[in-house]
Amino acid sequence: MKSASQIREAFLNGEVSCSERVDRFLQIIEEKSDLNAFLAVYKQEAKAAAAELDKKRDNKEPLGELAGLVIALKDNICVEGKRTSCGSRILDSFVSPYDATVVQRIRAADSIIIGKTNLDEFAMGSSNETSYFGP
């Protein structure tokens, strides 16, 4: 298994594209959907961001510290225009009006957010057995 810095270097050196990485992760997410790990997958946004990063690399434009990395967020981190449920029925229909600071920084560093993952309700646990959306 490669480290984050090795993945970034492989991307910067042209050994792998962000589009290939995103496509592979989307395939894995689909194949493992029975795990109920993801509450939301940002397929179109991730593909568009990957294509943009590949273009930036090919054009030798400056790239951020996390370029080439694909990240999933827990569903207690706000992403503007996306549902943030915190694994709770109470927040099931809440759509965030802003990006959390960490999301702003992830994007500024050229990482790709592929989706949001399940968690114990309000992150009050560690086993992921108490999410409204199932374990």
Side-chain angles (χ1 to χ4, degrees):
M1 178 176 267
K2 291 185 178 184
S3 69
S5 59
Q6 290 171 324
I7 292 167
R8 182 178 185 274
E9 284 303 312
F11 168 67
L12 295 176
N13 294 333
E15 297 168 30
V16 67
S17 73
C18 278
S19 295
E20 291 169 335
R21 291 185 46 76
V22 165
D23 287 342
R24 179 66 182 129
F25 282 122
L26 290 171
Q27 179 184 3
I28 292 168
I29 291 167
E30 179 68 27
E31 289 172 358
K32 305 285 186 178
S33 64
D34 60 314
L35 295 177
N36 198 31
F38 278 82
L39 296 180
V41 179
Y42 306 148
K43 183 177 181 177
Q44 299 308 324
E45 295 95 328
K47 284 178 166 264
E52 183 62 32
L53 281 174
D54 289 339
K55 183 178 173 183
K56 282 176 73 171
R57 180 198 58 199
D58 294 345
N59 291 336
K60 302 194 184 331
E61 296 176 38
L63 293 165
E65 296 172 350
L66 300 177
L69 300 180
V70 180
I71 296 175
L73 303 171
K74 285 292 189 184
D75 193 33
N76 61 348
I77 298 175
C78 290
V79 176
E80 184 177 1
K82 302 293 185 187
R83 183 179 80 168
T84 300
S85 72
C86 295
S88 176
R89 182 178 64 86
I90 294 168
L91 293 176
D92 186 27
S93 61
F94 174 73
V95 175
S96 178
Y98 62 89
D99 280 337
T101 301
V102 69
V103 172
Q104 294 171 359
R105 290 181 178 179
I106 287 168
R107 288 185 173 150
D110 284 331
S111 185
I112 297 167
I113 299 170
I114 200 163
K116 287 192 168 183
T117 60
N118 203 353
L119 71 159
D120 285 305
E121 189 170 15
F122 297 110
M124 298 290 288
S126 59
S127 63
N128 197 46
E129 295 173 6
T130 62
S131 171
Y132 169 71
F133 303 99

